Amino acid sequence: MTAQLVLVWCEIPVTDLEKSAAFYAKVLGFKTVRDDTGPNPMINLTDDLTAIAGHLYPGTPAAYGGNTVHLAISDTLEEGMKRCEAAGGQVVSPAIEIPPGRFAYAKDLDGNSIGLFEPPAA
């Protein structure tokens, strides 16, 4: 086993951000918070913006109900993007800067949406 952080957060695309925020707050039973610091508005599924969690964002839900799972990489985002493509995956976005680090969207061998995440340097 490793103590290294592996799961960073998850994203859930929704068609109505405010309505979905109310739904998740009710279903999960805790306070959510809106965050407009990134490239898209999002509703964090906890009121601690530094916590490992998930968020809702305005998007088109997958027909099969899939979500994007972001995974921490062990070195630079660019190296992780190269490894993804070398292993048969597809990088589908440029590097995206957000307050807790940088990430890029990619697809795995089955077309599942994943995020490759690089936290800021310590």
Side-chain angles (χ1 to χ4, degrees):
M1 295 296 292
T2 177
Q4 180 179 345
L5 178 66
V6 175
L7 181 62
V8 179
W9 72 81
C10 68
E11 293 181 336
I12 302 171
V14 298
T15 57
D16 185 323
L17 193 60
E18 298 307 319
K19 189 174 185 177
S20 294
F23 169 81
Y24 278 92
K26 183 174 183 176
V27 170
L28 300 175
F30 50 80
K31 183 179 177 186
T32 62
V33 64
R34 185 180 176 109
D35 180 3
D36 291 311
T37 61
N40 293 306
M42 66 181 198
I43 303 295
N44 207 43
L45 296 177
T46 174
D47 61 357
D48 179 358
L49 293 178
T50 64
I52 297 170
H55 68 256
L56 311 174
Y57 71 99
T60 303
Y64 56 86
N67 295 316
T68 301
V69 176
H70 291 253
L71 302 171
I73 56 174
S74 59
D75 53 3
T76 69
L77 178 57
E78 288 75 16
E79 288 300 314
M81 292 165 74
K82 288 178 192 174
R83 285 193 306 273
C84 177
E85 291 185 330
Q90 179 184 11
V91 175
V92 297
S93 81
I96 299 168
E97 300 272 342
I98 57 174
R102 304 180 326 130
F103 75 96
Y105 289 108
K107 290 184 180 181
D108 70 8
L109 298 176
D110 294 307
N112 291 309
S113 179
I114 58 172
L116 306 174
F117 180 78
E118 175 190 0

